[in-house]
Amino acid sequence: MSNKEPVIFTIGWNACINCGACVAICPQEAGFISAFDTIAVDRPCDIACLLCEDICPVSTISHSPANLTSFAR
Amino acid sequence: MPDSQYDLVIIGSGPAGSTTARFAAQQGLKVLLVDKRQELGAPIQCSGAVSRHALEEVGITPDAEFIHEPIYGFGIYNEKGDSTVIDYRRLKADEYGPEEGKKPLGYVVDRRRFDRYLMTQAERAGVEVWLKTEGLSYKPGSNGSCEVFLRRFNQEITVNARVLVGADGLQSQVGKWAGLRTHIKITELASCLQFIVDQVETEGLLEIITGHEWAPGGYAWVFPKGYGYAEIGLGVIPTMTDRNAQWHLDRFIHHSFFKERFKNSRILEIQGGGVPLASPLRTQYADNLILVGDAARHVNPITGGGIHTALSGGYIAGNFLAGFLNQGKAPTAQNLEGYQNCWLEELGNKMWKLYEVKTEIFRKNDLAERDIQLYQTMASYFSPDSEYKKI
């Protein structure tokens, strides 16, 4: 499946060092941020470039398809 | 609400924001400096190295309050461990050293204390500071000022500013509000991780370890951190490796030519961040708005160092805005281009040149050749007769 399908990011908070690199690389418009200064995890990312996963120094960002529920049906 | 009208509202109280604020306030501007954090400098995303002259240029006297350890030079290593030592205690023995009457070349600072110290100096110059205050958006108006929407301890507050200064770091949102092209390429953002460690000896030198073997696209470092502690870190370019920075740092510590030196190391703190090895932003201004520091990508593309460039950028921005607004000029994008021109002349053109040097090195496909070039460039960059004026 193409990476261009919208995704929801999950952050493993245990490993997150709050470095902000994911926000720095994110090409989304302003505001795609969580309350903990990471990329947003509460809404779909329709760009799905996954650069945030690449830049994370501790690889603690992962994703799942945003339309997972429709797959289940 | 007469109190809600400011000459400048500055978002982000790091070195760039607080320095902009201090110089603007010293020249009579009414300045509001906001930061969303409860404690400045944290979480630390920086190694903390800064030259003495960078501090003195902006009127900061080196102070024990924020200094971890004085620095006297550099040790540059290639991938095999051969080194070039540039120790100013030997090269310019009458000028540099720990003895009375001599000076350090620079310092490793504690970013928590340093950022707070700079904010304090700004406050003492008359700047109003609000912590736990985040910027939400801004709207340029027709009367030459803009509205800035803030949230302070959960309360939404609107203030007016003639100029909004985005000093909100590499993760800058302020530039995006204005539609500036702030996006950085994945090939130019180093993914960095560092450990503060006990049981690793250092000698007052900033040690830089080059080589694709250890840090593809970046370099590794060992810096003195005071109290007998050291800082071991590295940055990698994600497109040049299949592994993350953590994996490379672990490998550097346990398998490099320094493995004996590091064998008793104990981790005391873990820090990380993205470090741009990129060009400055091409456009750092918009209507009623400028960017400064990491937000404008005022970072040395060879070393990744950003404190000096943030302080200098803040000095330039604060002075420019004070002169500009005190003359009653309208802060349109067209007029604020003057800030960027000023910055290019004093600092930016040199950074563009360094960016070209860096790009030339990493354009080489032959890794061995690239390693040699990076090692030589680093060694010559830090030498006393360097062709590059220090930034």
Side-chain angles (χ1 to χ4, degrees), chain B residues 8 40 87 104 139 153 174 176 182 225 249 304 327 336 343:
Chain B
L8 302 184
L40 300 184
D87 190 338
K139 192 165 88 183
F153 277 106
V174 176
K176 291 187 177 188
T182 59
K225 205 68 183 170
L249 184 55
Q327 284 168 36
L336 288 171
W343 178 82

Side-chain angles (χ1 to χ4, degrees), chain A residues 25-26 28 31 37 55 59, chain B residues 36 45 173 176 183 191 244:
Chain A
I25 200 66
C26 179
Q28 282 275 12
D37 289 336
I55 200 72
S59 301
Chain B
K36 68 181 169 189
Q45 301 168 359
Q173 300 293 302
K176 291 187 177 188
H183 188 231
S191 175
N244 64 17

Side-chain angles (χ1 to χ4, degrees), chain A residues 17-21 23-31 33 37 51 54-59, chain B residues 36 43 45 170-171 173 176-177 183-184 186 189 191-193 238 244-246 271-274:
Chain A
I17 56 171
N18 243 243
C19 75
V23 180
I25 200 66
C26 179
Q28 282 275 12
E29 58 188 64
I33 317 181
D37 289 336
L51 292 177
D54 293 339
I55 200 72
C56 179
V58 293
S59 301
Chain B
K36 68 181 169 189
Q45 301 168 359
L170 194 63
Q171 303 91 330
Q173 300 293 302
K176 291 187 177 188
W177 298 348
H183 188 231
I184 186 166
I186 188 78
L189 185 64
S191 175
C192 299
L193 191 68
N244 64 17
Q246 187 181 15
Q271 299 156 355

Side-chain angles (χ1 to χ4, degrees), chain B residues 12 23 41 123 127-128 197 201 250 253 257 277-278 312 331 351 377:
Chain B
F23 283 98
E123 272 201 308
V127 173
E128 188 175 344
V197 297
E201 303 252 332
D250 183 72
I253 290 172
F257 49 82
L277 302 172
S312 301
M351 291 177 61
T377 303

